[in-house]
Amino acid sequence: MQLINGIWTAFALLAGSTQALNYTGDVLNGVPVISHLDLAQVPSQAVSRYYLRVGELNGGTALHVPIMVARGTPESLDTGKRLSLSSAIHGDELNGVRVVQRILEQLKDQVSTLNGTVIAIPTVNPLGIYLNQRNYFTASGSGFLTNVNRVFPGTPPSEGGNGAELLAYNIWNNVWGNTSQVDVGLDLHTPSSGGETSLWCYADFRLPYVERLAKLLQPDTLKIDVGEPGSIETTFVGNQIPSITVEMGQAKVWNASLIDRVYDFVNRVLDDLRITPSHTTGVYQPDLSKTYIATTFHDTYSTYGGFVERLVGVDEPVKKGQAIANIRNAFGDILETILSPEDGRMFQSPRDPSIEPGGSAGEIAYNSTDPECADGCIF
């Protein structure tokens, strides 16, 4: 009881001194709940934790998203950059969660000298994580699933926004301040369940600094791309905020080697933005010796339901017309052999062997000669 009273006393003092943070008066797991984040009111030279109330479920149960803020020196809101880290907007894509956790843990020891701010949302879509799948479930109309990464900057309920659209609206406006609190955005993903890739990213080179971000990742594949409307990346870029979508490995696993690589990448970005103290005076030169830069993704589809036999592994080179997969029936007969549509590289391959008609049997990355694909195409 004394512990509970102590938490409430500390919270009351904090809330009374920082009203601009819009505390709701709630405490969840010992962490204060807010409805709006104001960086000017976040303690400097500290890593602070909040829950943002992003809406309610049917029946009125509140939904919260965890927020961590590493704010540097008092003057760094004016002198430094503000970096957003987000992950798990798709509930089965979890590698990025560990990257965010590790970065904020590291910043605890560096925050006294940070020239800037890092806003981190480790789990953008807690409902998707709870349901162990990609989307946000909305109960109205007998229930339907929404890809939250297609509805940014969101819609308030007063304009008919559903739960997913309200979540996006509250994050966009009440965490990122409709871009006023973000200078650069990194959104961390994996492919959806059933697919396997190595480390890659989407990058819209038409906005300055996006190319630099993508190359600092030193990915296995760099996809030049105009982005998906309603995604975090494209919404940032459309508002002149450099951003990329980082894709890392398989869904529903923590891949230690890819987590390490993306953790190192975020540190390169922190150094490049001069948020963390730099140990060098020069500009980091990315190692792209193992990076395949492509403008085009071309999916291949099965005509039949059955089982995929992979003939080519992820990141292996392929020739046009080369067999990349067999589709077998339950008796083991080959119903169809899938061929590569172009010379290129096996970019994504199915890990789930069961397949239905129209399912992906493999995706090839290559550089199209079509001028309309100069900024990126997906077939």
Side-chain angles (χ1 to χ4, degrees), residues 207-229:
L207 184 67
Y209 197 65
V210 169
E211 181 177 353
R212 173 70 175 167
L213 284 175
K215 291 180 177 179
L216 283 172
L217 177 62
Q218 301 175 172
D220 299 300
T221 300
L222 193 168
K223 174 63 167 70
I224 299 173
D225 196 79
V226 296
E228 291 281 355

Side-chain angles (χ1 to χ4, degrees), residues 27-262:
V27 174
L28 182 62
N29 299 326
V31 175
V33 177
I34 61 173
S35 59
H36 176 76
L37 179 70
D38 182 351
L39 291 182
Q41 299 298 324
V42 172
S44 60
Q45 297 178 298
V47 174
S48 301
R49 296 181 179 185
Y50 308 100
Y51 276 106
L52 179 78
R53 182 162 176 159
V54 292
E56 295 81 37
L57 306 180
N58 62 312
T61 301
L63 186 66
H64 301 89
V65 169
I67 310 291
M68 293 184 281
V69 181
R71 184 181 161 192
T73 60
E75 65 275 10
S76 65
L77 277 183
D78 298 317
T79 62
K81 299 294 186 181
R82 295 156 298 186
L83 175 67
S84 168
L85 298 177
S86 54
S87 63
I89 193 171
H90 296 135
D92 57 347
E93 302 182 6
L94 304 178
N95 270 326
V97 175
R98 187 65 190 126
V99 175
V100 173
Q101 292 171 342
R102 285 180 58 186
I103 289 293
L104 270 293
E105 183 66 27
Q106 167 197 311
L107 292 178
K108 288 181 182 178
D109 296 327
Q110 298 176 305
V111 72
S112 63
T113 57
L114 288 187
N115 180 38
T117 306
V118 177
I119 302 174
I121 311 176
T123 54
V124 174
N125 182 6
L127 195 56
I129 296 173
Y130 172 71
L131 295 173
N132 197 30
Q133 57 86 48
R134 175 181 179 85
N135 297 302
Y136 184 106
F137 177 77
T138 302
S140 60
S142 298
F144 60 93
L145 296 169
T146 300
N147 182 346
V148 186
N149 207 36
R150 297 295 182 272
V151 299
F152 274 82
T155 306
S158 60
E159 298 176 13
N162 63 27
E165 293 165 334
L166 176 59
L167 183 150
Y169 178 86
N170 280 324
I171 289 175
W172 181 258
N173 291 285
N174 295 322
V175 178
W176 296 327
N178 192 16
T179 74
S180 68
Q181 300 197 127
V182 178
D183 294 308
V184 173
L186 304 177
D187 192 31
L188 309 182
H189 291 243
T190 77
S192 296
S193 296
E196 178 187 11
T197 68
S198 51
L199 178 62
W200 63 281
C201 67
Y202 288 112
D204 188 342
F205 280 16
R206 297 173 300 173
L207 184 67
Y209 197 65
V210 169
E211 181 177 353
R212 173 70 175 167
L213 284 175
K215 291 180 177 179
L216 283 172
L217 177 62
Q218 301 175 172
D220 299 300
T221 300
L222 193 168
K223 174 63 167 70
I224 299 173
D225 196 79
V226 296
E228 291 281 355
S231 68
I232 288 176
E233 172 208 346
T234 301
T235 307
F236 270 140
V237 170
N239 285 273
Q240 303 303 301
I241 304 294
S243 178
I244 64 171
T245 298
V246 178
E247 304 269 1
M248 37 192 311
Q250 291 178 245
K252 298 184 180 180
V253 297
W254 271 358
N255 182 311
S257 64
L258 294 185
I259 289 170
D260 286 346
R261 288 179 66 184
V262 177

